[in-house]
Amino acid sequence: MRAGDALSVENVSHRFGKVEALKDVTLSVPRGAFTALLGVNGAGKTTLFSLITRLYDNTSGVIRVAGHDLRREPSRALARLGVVFQSRALDADLTVMQNLSYHASLHGIPGRNAKARIADVLAQVDLSGKAGARVSSLSGGQSRRAEIARALIHEPDLLLLDEATVGLDVKSRAEVLALTRRLIAERGVSALWATHIMDEIQPDDALVILHRGQVLERGLAADIAGPNGLTRTFLDLTGVEAA
Amino acid sequence: MTMTAPTPKRRGGWPIAFLGIARRETLRFVNQRGRFLAALVRPLVWLFIFAAGFRAVLGMSITPPYQTYVLYEVYVTPGLCAMIQLFNGMQSSLSMVYDRETGAMRTLLVSPFPRWFLLASKLVAGVLVSIIQVYTFLAIAWFWDIRPPIWGYVAVLPALILSGLMLGAMGLFLSSAIRQLENFAGVMNFVIFPMFFASSALYPLWRMRESSVLLHDICAVNPFTHAVELIRFALYLQVNWLSLAVVLGCLAGFFGAAVFMYDPAKGNWARRKGEG
């Protein structure tokens, strides 16, 4: 765990009643890096994201965003966090501009600054021409890019993307993934990309494998994959049967 | 990418956040014209049909704040104002449950502002929308010869704000307790309808006592009764102090309970299981 990490999660556990959803999870996201969080459905990815976004508090351990302890300095920590949730978070009845203005206000960004930032982030995600369009009229891929624009509006240090490509066709999936990697290169933002799709992970990505609430491996994807490849290694590690 | 992005507190962004939330609620309301019409048609049906029918059956004696005999339509109007707010509070609550299921609620709650402030902003924004509905209803009722003193329209505003806040806070609390959208029908049957019918909205409490003392006592402790009476007295330039105290007390209680339930460390929210 380095002092300059965009995110550090140290010995975090969490229970829902008798169910232990996360067990002593430790991971970090270095600044300006793409880190993949790989796990099957039910591995604990969404629970971990819920803790990092402080939808609820972790019962043990420490979570720091850009060096700010989430429980001691929630306001500072959350101000540095941009989140793309697994489920749709934009209001379908409102336009893209209205949605982004709303989210800018949730970060206390005044009107003039908000307009400039909205124009900037929409250009970044190639949606400049869709500012006045209702979200309900967007395609799945466009909608996801609008969600990413929303998450970027307050210039966060860390982007959390929870299964951001779920429900998208192959082309849109590739676009959203490429966009995220481009944002890291161009804006210097860090990203924690939760997924269960191994094709989305490149050999030089940082990788964390989460299974049944525990971190099984963390390191460079190529190192973890070894000679057997990522799919075989993942199946061996988790004991999950291939379909 | 910057590491020096100021926090909302330092930037003085609280009013910006509140106005943003209020603007979103208003836009949603404007976009959902059906919701506006439904909110208006419901009390108007009661006023034009139900009240007209019951006028002959239900005699009204002279009771405060009225200083003379009044038509049943006049009596029932404050109750219908409160009904608009009750249903608006439940509508907000319903939309919060829906927002929670879709993820929109999460984006609100991961804002760096304190959760109590976000919930309070949403509550106040919802009340502003309900007040627009109530004044539209009162304007239509004016043409139906329901004409309180002209200053009553001004005096009723603080009462509407307080009653709207109390009913909205109740909706907020209920939304935190409801796990799925499907459970909302139960809330309508077990909370909304009993609350509305076991109140002074449609019949004076003395009438209720003639039928059943127990029912009268239930109506007398119903917070909705006090919201109705607060509005009724204010509309006729008077203050019902007991109702004011009950409404303020219930507002504090419901809002406190809602904040607790949405607390990341304590309430029901913390016990919800994630999916991935």
Side-chain angles (χ1 to χ4, degrees):
Chain A
M1 209 68 47
R2 290 181 297 274
D5 286 335
L7 172 72
S8 72
V9 176
E10 296 167 25
N11 309 112
V12 166
S13 299
H14 193 76
R15 304 184 73 93
F16 293 104
K18 289 179 181 173
V19 179
E20 194 169 20
L22 292 176
K23 297 169 205 165
D24 202 27
V25 169
T26 295
L27 60 90
S28 63
V29 176
R31 280 186 199 285
F34 180 97
T35 301
L37 178 66
L38 180 65
V40 294
N41 291 336
K45 303 188 296 290
T46 298
T47 301
L48 180 61
F49 272 41
S50 297
L51 296 178
I52 298 170
T53 52
R54 204 174 177 249
L55 285 174
Y56 31 82
D57 282 340
N58 46 303
T59 44
S60 68
V62 180
I63 298 172
R64 289 193 185 87
V65 180
H68 298 287
D69 186 327
L70 193 59
R71 292 190 74 166
R72 291 185 182 177
E73 303 175 283
S75 204
R76 287 174 188 274
L78 291 173
R80 282 156 178 79
L81 202 60
V83 193
V84 177
F85 289 107
Q86 189 174 348
S87 47
R88 178 178 62 80
L90 294 175
D91 195 322
D93 291 332
L94 303 186
T95 66
V96 173
M97 175 63 94
Q98 287 167 342
N99 267 292
L100 297 191
S101 299
Y102 167 61
H103 290 283
S105 71
L106 289 180
H107 284 270
I109 301 168
R112 274 169 308 181
N113 290 0
K115 276 189 182 168
R117 288 195 192 184
I118 290 168
D120 176 39
V121 293
L122 285 179
Q124 285 272 334
V125 301
D126 300 323
L127 281 178
S128 294
K130 293 286 182 183
R134 283 200 181 201
V135 168
S136 56
S137 72
L138 301 181
S139 68
Q142 288 172 334
S143 188
R144 270 296 164 192
R145 282 188 277 143
E147 297 265 11
I148 292 174
R150 177 191 57 70
L152 285 173
I153 209 154
H154 55 291
E155 298 181 344
D157 296 302
L158 173 67
L159 266 183
L160 295 180
L161 301 107
D162 188 7
E163 308 258 14
T165 56
V166 162
L168 298 185
D169 58 38
V170 176
K171 182 172 171 282
S172 301
R173 232 177 68 194
E175 280 175 2
V176 169
L177 186 58
L179 169 66
T180 306
R181 293 185 185 279
R182 181 159 56 81
L183 289 169
I184 291 170
E186 291 177 4
R187 298 178 77 107
V189 68
S190 317
L192 180 60
W193 177 275
T195 185
H196 62 270
I197 303 168
M198 273 166 259
D199 293 352
E200 294 178 348
I201 300 163
Q202 292 183 357
D204 55 350
D205 287 337
L207 174 64
V208 178
I209 295 179
L210 189 69
H211 188 65
R212 292 182 179 165
Q214 284 182 299
V215 172
L216 299 184
E217 284 282 358
R218 59 191 164 102
L220 202 63
D223 295 341
I224 293 172
N228 293 334
L230 188 56
T231 304
R232 187 69 261 162
T233 306
F234 179 79
L235 294 175
D236 289 344
L237 277 170
T238 57
V240 174
E241 291 297 320
Chain B
M1 197 49 41
T2 175
M3 281 302 295
T4 56
T7 59
K9 274 184 188 173
R10 283 217 302 269
R11 219 183 304 182
W14 298 63
I16 294 168
F18 168 70
L19 290 173
I21 292 169
R23 185 163 177 269
R24 178 182 183 248
E25 290 299 311
T26 311
L27 281 171
R28 278 167 65 101
F29 179 68
V30 170
N31 284 341
Q32 296 171 350
R33 291 194 184 86
R35 182 180 153 193
F36 180 74
L37 282 175
L40 215 51
V41 165
R42 195 180 299 116
L44 288 175
V45 165
W46 282 89
L47 184 66
F48 295 158
I49 301 171
F50 179 88
F54 271 69
R55 182 202 289 188
V57 182
L58 286 168
M60 293 289 126
S61 66
I62 301 173
T63 51
Y66 306 110
Q67 292 168 342
T68 177
Y69 288 103
V70 290
L71 291 175
Y72 182 66
E73 288 94 321
V74 173
Y75 176 83
V76 87
T77 295
L80 296 180
C81 292
M83 183 178 87
I84 291 172
Q85 295 196 299
L86 177 67
F87 277 84
N88 192 75
M90 291 313 113
Q91 181 78 39
S92 298
S93 154
L94 183 67
S95 78
M96 282 186 83
V97 177
Y98 177 75
D99 280 355
R100 206 175 56 211
E101 288 194 354
T102 59
M105 186 71 183
R106 291 176 168 217
T107 62
L108 175 75
L109 297 180
V110 300
S111 159
F113 290 95
R115 206 162 279 192
W116 67 263
F117 170 75
L118 297 168
L119 293 174
S121 297
K122 201 160 167 57
L123 175 61
V124 172
V127 172
L128 294 178
V129 167
S130 81
I131 286 175
I132 295 169
Q133 295 170 343
V134 170
Y135 273 109
T136 307
F137 168 72
L138 285 173
I140 295 170
W142 190 85
F143 290 103
W144 203 250
D145 273 342
I146 293 152
R147 297 177 179 178
I150 197 77
W151 285 107
Y153 289 99
V154 179
V156 80
L157 180 60
L160 289 174
I161 292 172
L162 286 177
S163 57
L165 285 173
M166 182 196 79
L167 296 168
M170 187 183 78
L172 206 58
F173 168 64
L174 289 173
S175 77
S176 70
I178 298 168
R179 286 187 177 268
Q180 288 176 314
L181 212 52
E182 290 75 21
N183 303 136
F184 210 80
V187 173
M188 290 297 286
N189 289 331
F190 290 103
V191 180
I192 311 302
F193 291 138
M195 214 170 173
F196 178 62
F197 288 110
S199 76
S200 62
L202 300 178
Y203 3 78
L205 290 188
W206 64 264
R207 276 266 179 200
M208 201 66 90
R209 189 187 281 126
E210 286 178 354
S211 305
S212 159
V213 175
L214 176 65
L215 200 54
H216 166 271
D217 293 344
I218 290 170
C219 294
V221 296
N222 180 355
F224 186 70
T225 292
H226 294 281
V228 172
E229 293 310 308
L230 191 65
I231 293 169
R232 190 191 309 284
F233 276 68
L235 209 47
Y236 290 86
L237 303 170
Q238 295 178 46
V239 179
N240 186 322
W241 294 104
L242 172 65
S243 291
L244 177 63
V246 172
V247 167
L248 283 172
C250 288
L251 166 59
F254 286 135
F255 187 67
V259 170
F260 176 83
M261 292 292 271
Y262 276 99
D263 188 292
K266 301 168 193 146
N268 209 24
W269 189 263
R271 292 193 288 272
R272 289 175 204 284
K273 190 173 179 330
E275 293 158 0

